[in-house]
Amino acid sequence: TECRETIKKICDSFAVSPIARDIIETASLVNGAGVGIELARAKHHANDPYFLQPMDGVDSTGYRASWWTQFYCILWRSWLSVLKDPMLVKVRLLQTAMVASLIGSIYFGQVLDQDGVMNINGSLFLFLTNMTFQNVFAVINVFSAELPVFLREKRSRLYRVDTYFLGKTIAELPLFIAVPFVFTSITYPMIGLKAGVSHYLTTLFIVTLVANVSTSFGYLISCASSS
């Protein structure tokens, strides 16, 4: 309600301004004249500030900036928004560490007998479900929350859809690599999975892939949903 009242004050102030009166007079004159008079008047007012002028520097695609410039600006803006909310990053990492410790405690120190193999299968299932649902719900509101801003800037031809999506995704990529690293580094030795750096790195690589595929699926749901 406060925002609407502020907007109404701005609109009312503009409505009684000299510029608004000039625009109304010019528009009524143009609408009441013929095509020839309209063209002549448009040429006469070509230098007036409230007439739309040709946009210099716009290429055939309709954008002032190149693809790389758009991508860099979106990436930088998205990265700044991530840095402005450090508490969210800390909470995500702490939540991951706590869940990993819980799973590691439940399946602590498995041995390779019949019961141990079944327990390891259960722990691997929890690896996948935790990385899947945690990352889907982490991003499910990202695009729907920014949809009004995105639509306004897209209609203004400020950037393409692909530059926005790539910039937004890559800015949040470090977090979606850190979360699987923390999770795997805690649970892998606690459960007693196969020893060796190569085996650990293979597990970390697969868990990271699962986490990022889940993130992409969350982005899909977010893009497809208006709220």
Side-chain angles (χ1 to χ4, degrees):
T1 305
E2 213 172 290
C3 291
R4 292 181 183 276
E5 289 176 357
T6 304
I7 293 170
K8 188 175 184 302
K9 289 178 183 177
I10 295 172
C11 293
D12 292 343
S13 299
F14 176 78
V16 297
S17 67
I19 296 178
R21 288 196 296 270
D22 290 344
I23 291 175
I24 293 172
E25 291 174 5
T26 305
S28 61
L29 288 172
V30 170
N31 290 334
V35 176
I37 298 175
E38 184 177 341
L39 290 173
R41 196 173 295 280
K43 290 179 181 178
H44 175 71
H45 290 289
N47 295 323
D48 287 352
Y50 46 81
F51 274 81
L52 291 176
Q53 305 298 326
M55 295 176 65
D56 296 328
V58 177
D59 57 15
S60 57
T61 61
Y63 298 97
R64 285 180 179 272
S66 64
W67 191 95
W68 285 108
T69 303
Q70 296 175 33
F71 172 72
Y72 172 78
C73 292
I74 293 295
L75 178 62
W76 180 246
R77 185 175 74 175
S78 302
W79 178 246
L80 287 179
S81 66
V82 171
L83 295 180
K84 286 178 181 177
D85 199 0
M87 183 57 66
L88 180 62
V89 176
K90 292 177 183 177
V91 168
R92 285 286 310 279
L93 294 177
L94 180 63
Q95 176 189 6
T96 302
M98 292 175 64
V99 172
S101 300
L102 178 63
I103 294 174
S105 301
I106 294 172
Y107 294 99
F108 185 79
Q110 297 298 317
V111 293
L112 288 177
D113 55 14
Q114 187 63 37
D115 291 336
V117 169
M118 295 299 294
N119 290 336
I120 289 173
N121 281 339
S123 67
L124 294 178
F125 173 76
L126 287 179
F127 266 61
L128 298 177
T129 54
N130 184 68
M131 284 295 99
T132 299
F133 292 109
Q134 180 181 351
N135 288 287
V136 166
F137 287 110
V139 300
I140 203 166
N141 196 40
V142 168
F143 289 112
S144 58
E146 295 187 3
L147 189 61
V149 176
F150 166 74
L151 290 176
R152 184 174 68 245
E153 294 178 344
K154 177 67 176 65
R155 288 166 183 158
S156 300
R157 310 292 286 176
L158 293 180
Y159 48 74
R160 297 168 172 81
V161 177
D162 54 347
T163 54
Y164 173 78
F165 182 81
L166 290 174
K168 188 77 178 167
T169 305
I170 294 174
E172 297 180 353
L173 187 61
L175 180 61
F176 296 120
I177 293 176
V179 167
F181 174 77
V182 171
F183 183 82
T184 307
S185 299
I186 294 174
T187 52
Y188 196 93
M190 288 184 70
I191 296 172
L193 299 177
K194 193 169 183 179
V197 176
S198 61
H199 302 299
Y200 164 75
L201 293 177
T202 301
T203 305
L204 177 61
F205 177 69
I206 293 173
V207 172
T208 304
L209 286 181
V210 170
N212 282 275
V213 168
S214 304
T215 302
S216 298
F217 185 68
Y219 283 147
L220 172 65
I221 298 173
S222 184
C223 290
S225 307
S226 59
S227 65

